Amino acid sequence: MDNQKKIQHTLNDLIEIARDGGDFYTDAATKVDNPALSTLFTQMAGHKREIVNGLTADVAAIGGEPADSGTVAGSMRQMYANVRAALGNRDYAYVAELEEVEDKLLEAFKDTINDSDTPPAAKAAVQKYLPQVVECHDIMRNRKIALKEAS
């Protein structure tokens, strides 16, 4: 696989995972009971859109074809969260599942940066967004802990 294709493939994987997260946050914002959580989820969806848009521009800049959808696993996780929310504490169910999405995205970003096969241009693109990914991850982890302690 040539360097351009490797960069495109690497960044497209991250685009798909971030898009899954954004779609999930948008959906969850309409389903939680707590207005503050709804607002937070809407903000987090915006962060995911920024990452998707930025990585999409990076793929296009190298002449690649950016991913235009999410993953099957992301859709399944969203369905699972809807079922789980119907059976228990809706707010906690969505926060817990969204925190898992953040874990997956953060892990994918770190793996990309640490993979010796990742081209430098792909690493540079990923490192631009890593602070935002870490911040979103920490927000959801802390929210999950706070909701668990409150119940």
Side-chain angles (χ1 to χ4, degrees):
M1 181 181 298
D2 73 7
N3 203 38
Q4 179 184 347
K5 292 285 186 201
K6 175 79 172 155
I7 294 168
Q8 178 180 325
H9 178 75
T10 299
L11 298 183
N12 276 339
D13 285 348
L14 298 176
I15 288 169
E16 290 173 348
I17 296 167
R19 182 174 279 120
D20 284 344
D23 292 348
F24 194 173
Y25 275 113
T26 298
D27 183 56
T30 66
K31 295 182 177 169
V32 291
D33 299 321
N34 181 327
L37 271 184
S38 180
T39 299
L40 175 64
F41 291 172
T42 299
Q43 291 169 343
M44 297 294 264
H47 292 307
K48 299 298 170 270
R49 279 191 301 278
E50 289 172 16
I51 292 168
V52 167
N53 291 340
L55 292 174
T56 295
D58 290 336
V59 171
I62 61 162
E65 184 68 34
D68 61 359
S69 64
T71 65
V72 172
S75 298
M76 290 174 59
R77 177 173 293 285
Q78 196 170 335
M79 284 190 326
Y80 172 73
N82 290 338
V83 169
R84 185 174 168 187
L87 300 175
N89 180 330
R90 179 184 310 265
D91 291 351
Y92 180 79
Y94 280 109
V95 168
E97 289 303 313
L98 287 163
E99 193 257 347
E100 289 289 324
V101 169
E102 293 294 343
D103 284 346
K104 182 177 180 184
L105 185 61
L106 180 58
E107 181 180 337
F109 265 68
K110 287 181 175 180
D111 287 350
T112 299
I113 290 168
N114 295 326
D115 184 349
S116 60
D117 289 338
T118 302
K123 283 186 185 188
V126 171
Q127 286 173 325
K128 281 190 296 194
Y129 302 103
L130 183 61
Q132 188 175 13
V133 171
V134 169
E135 180 182 2
C136 290
H137 172 270
D138 292 351
I139 288 168
M140 291 310 295
R141 183 195 61 220
N142 293 339
R143 185 57 61 109
K144 178 182 168 186
I145 291 168
L147 283 173
K148 190 170 188 172
E149 289 173 353
S151 61

